[in-house]
């Protein structure tokens, strides 16, 4: 089910002592080959963490032999010492696995502004490499251990897989429960495949997949400094994948992971799908959906089980999308509460007791559609993020 679902990969997750809880906090995913092709999409936040700066250099040739990920610290805004820590971590992985440090992606997640303990990192790398060498690193248990090691405020590991009838597999893991907003990539995600594809093909497929999955997840409008989505291909299946079929499978895995991230968003009590239909362009459908998803008034109303559709229209009106302000329809959980900018069915018919909420916005301006995934704004979200570094 996880990052080890595809053949040709090994994984491990260990407790390196970076977290005060004593839980797993360092993971390694190794590509055993014969191919070491890769593609990665990084955050577009201009304030990038040291692991992102390092990994952008690694990806210059599209070759990746391993990925090392830690929770317990973002290694962002930690100066030259922080970059040296990232470099030294890659060197430690390279030495233990017998690969080049220039082919090791480094990912970190946690609090910004704190230095990571290099001694604990290198000891964790040693233990994870030993676990990989033990011979059981391709199992589901090993994949789960790696997925657990990258969790921060997550309450559960996120994993997904797809097996193609053609004979190849895609598997993946993700972490994220807050700061879920798009910038070509979201959170930390590692996806593997044993299909035969080169780095250029992987890049094409990954960008197509993230555009309609992770990029459509906007839990709280906050973009991280560390977001990284990586796709590795081992080629172990020996099957040359059809690119369109592979992209569809990859998109399904990414969508599953994105929905799992949405369902585990910090403090959320409702998972909201905002579907915008009949927009003039797809981009405008995204802009409208995102405007609603980032409306604290709307999100607070959903938390209070209040189907206040006026807040939906108010958010739509902040965009420059093409529409007639008095020609918009809105339905919430199947109840048509607004038609052509006027009240329709009584709002008290809307049942917001279930966790799942569906908002349908019809702009009547074209034939394009997009869906944005978000959550409500709760007391628990405010509490968790006000006490995050304490």
């Amino acid at each position: 089910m996880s990052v080890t679902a595809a053949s040709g990969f090994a994984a491990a997750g260990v407790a390196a002592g970076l977290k005060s809880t004593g839980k797993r906090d360092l993971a390694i995913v190794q590509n055993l080959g014969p191919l070491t092709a890769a593609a990665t999409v990084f955050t577009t936040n201009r304030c990038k963490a040291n692991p992102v700066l390092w990994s952008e250099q690694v990806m210059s040739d599209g070759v990746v032999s391993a990925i090392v990920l830690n929770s317990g610290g973002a290694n962002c805004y930690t100066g030259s010492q922080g970059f040296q820590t990232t470099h030294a971590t890659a060197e430690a992985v390279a030495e233990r696995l017998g690969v080049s440090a220039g082919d090791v992606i480094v990912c970190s997640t946690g609090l910004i502004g704190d230095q990571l303990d290099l001694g604990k990192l290198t000891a964790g790398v040693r233990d994870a490499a030993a676990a990989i060498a033990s011979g059981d690193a391709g199992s589901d248990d090993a994949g789960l251990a790696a997925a657990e090691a990258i969790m921060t405020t997550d309450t559960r590991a996120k994993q997904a897989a797809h097996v193609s009838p053609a004979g190849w597999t895609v598997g993946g893991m993700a972490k994220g429960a807050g700061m879920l907003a798009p910038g070509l990539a979201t959170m930390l995600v590692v996806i593997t495949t044993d299909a035969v594809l080169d780095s250029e093909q992987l890049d094409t497929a990954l960008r197509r997949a993230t555009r309609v999955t992770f990029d459509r997840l906007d839990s709280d409008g906050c973009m991280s400094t560390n977001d990284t989505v990586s796709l590795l291909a081992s080629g172990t299946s020996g099957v040359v994948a059809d690119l369109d079929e592979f992209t569809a499978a990859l998109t399904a895995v990414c969508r599953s992971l994105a929905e799992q991230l949405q369902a585990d968003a910090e403090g959320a009590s409702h998972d909201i799908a905002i579907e915008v239909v009949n927009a003039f362009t797809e981009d405008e459908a995204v802009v409208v959906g995102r405007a609603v998803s980032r409306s604290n008034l709307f999100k607070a109303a959903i938390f209070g089980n209040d189907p206040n559709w006026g807040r939906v229209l108010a958010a739509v009106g902040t965009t420059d999308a093409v529409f007639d302000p008095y020609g918009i329809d809105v339905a919430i959980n199947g109840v048509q509460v607004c038609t052509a900018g006027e009240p329709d069915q009584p709002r008290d018919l809307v049942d917001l007791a279930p966790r799942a909420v569906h908002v349908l916005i019809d702009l009547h301006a074209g034939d394009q559609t997009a869906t944005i995934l978000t959550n409500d704004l709760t007391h628990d979200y405010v509490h968790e993020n006000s006490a995050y570094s304490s």
Side-chain angles (χ1 to χ4, degrees):
M1 268 296 294
S2 184
V3 73
T4 52
S7 59
F9 292 93
V14 301
L18 299 170
K19 290 178 179 176
S20 60
T21 60
K23 295 181 179 180
R24 293 186 177 104
D25 51 19
L26 186 139
I28 293 178
V29 177
Q30 183 180 10
N31 185 348
L32 303 174
L35 299 181
T36 52
T40 299
V41 185
F42 299 101
T43 181
T44 56
N45 195 323
R46 293 170 58 198
C47 301
K48 298 177 182 180
N50 284 308
V52 172
L53 298 174
W54 166 268
S55 299
E56 286 176 332
Q57 297 176 29
V58 171
M59 281 306 305
S60 61
D61 63 357
V63 174
V64 173
S65 298
I67 300 180
V68 57
L69 313 94
N70 75 269
S71 53
N75 196 3
C76 180
Y77 281 110
T78 48
S80 59
Q81 179 181 337
F83 190 83
Q84 290 167 10
T85 297
T86 295
H87 189 174
T89 303
E91 291 281 2
V93 172
E95 181 180 359
R96 293 287 178 177
L97 299 184
V99 300
S100 168
D103 296 334
V104 177
I105 283 179
V106 180
C107 298
S108 299
T109 182
L111 191 64
I112 293 171
D114 285 354
Q115 296 288 354
L116 287 171
D117 188 318
L118 182 56
K120 292 180 179 179
L121 279 169
T122 53
V125 168
R126 176 199 64 208
D127 294 344
I132 287 176
S134 69
D136 193 36
S139 67
D140 288 341
D141 288 343
L144 176 59
E148 291 175 343
I150 61 176
M151 293 166 53
T152 49
T153 57
D154 308 62
T155 65
R156 53 190 176 273
K158 287 88 175 175
Q159 305 179 93
H162 173 90
V163 179
S164 168
W168 46 263
T169 298
V170 178
M173 66 179 186
K175 68 78 51 183
M179 295 186 78
L180 302 185
L184 292 180
T186 312
M187 306 74 57
L188 298 185
V189 182
V190 179
I191 304 169
T192 59
T193 183
D194 49 19
V196 176
L197 293 164
D198 61 32
S199 59
E200 183 176 345
Q201 292 171 311
L202 294 176
D203 185 76
T204 297
L206 183 61
R207 292 182 185 277
R208 288 177 179 172
T210 57
R211 186 183 72 83
V212 295
T213 57
F214 296 120
D215 279 2
R216 303 283 171 89
L217 174 62
D218 201 329
S219 180
D220 57 12
C222 298
M223 185 193 301
S224 173
T225 55
N226 294 58
D227 298 341
T228 305
V229 176
S230 295
L231 172 61
L232 312 181
S234 68
T236 307
S237 70
V239 179
V240 178
D242 175 81
L243 186 57
D244 289 338
E245 180 188 354
F246 178 78
T247 301
L250 176 63
T251 301
V253 168
C254 290
R255 180 173 293 111
S256 174
L257 292 173
E259 290 173 349
Q260 292 177 57
L261 293 166
Q262 179 196 25
D264 197 27
E266 292 170 343
S269 63
H270 290 91
D271 300 329
I272 309 167
I274 302 170
E275 182 181 3
V276 181
V277 299
N278 295 321
F280 186 65
T281 67
E282 183 182 5
D283 286 345
E284 290 188 359
V286 170
V287 167
V288 167
R290 200 177 307 289
V292 178
S293 77
R294 293 184 175 181
S295 166
N296 285 338
L297 286 174
F298 163 75
K299 292 157 75 76
I302 298 300
F303 168 60
N305 293 337
D306 177 12
N308 191 336
W309 55 268
R311 294 180 176 178
V312 174
L313 292 182
V316 173
T318 66
T319 74
D320 59 1
V322 175
F323 59 83
D324 177 354
Y326 302 99
I328 303 173
D329 301 341
V330 178
I332 302 177
N333 279 359
V335 178
Q336 192 74 29
V337 289
C338 169
T339 298
E342 296 184 8
D344 197 322
Q345 298 183 60
R347 67 182 69 195
D348 57 14
L349 294 179
V350 179
D351 183 9
L352 290 177
R355 185 176 178 97
V357 176
H358 179 253
V359 178
L360 180 65
I361 304 168
D362 192 336
L363 297 180
H364 294 288
D367 59 2
Q368 298 298 301
T369 183
T371 299
I372 300 295
L373 305 179
T374 191
N375 305 94
D376 55 352
L377 178 59
T378 69
H379 302 301
D380 288 342
Y381 175 86
V382 175
H383 172 73
E384 187 163 341
N385 283 280
S386 65
Y388 183 73
S389 61
S390 61

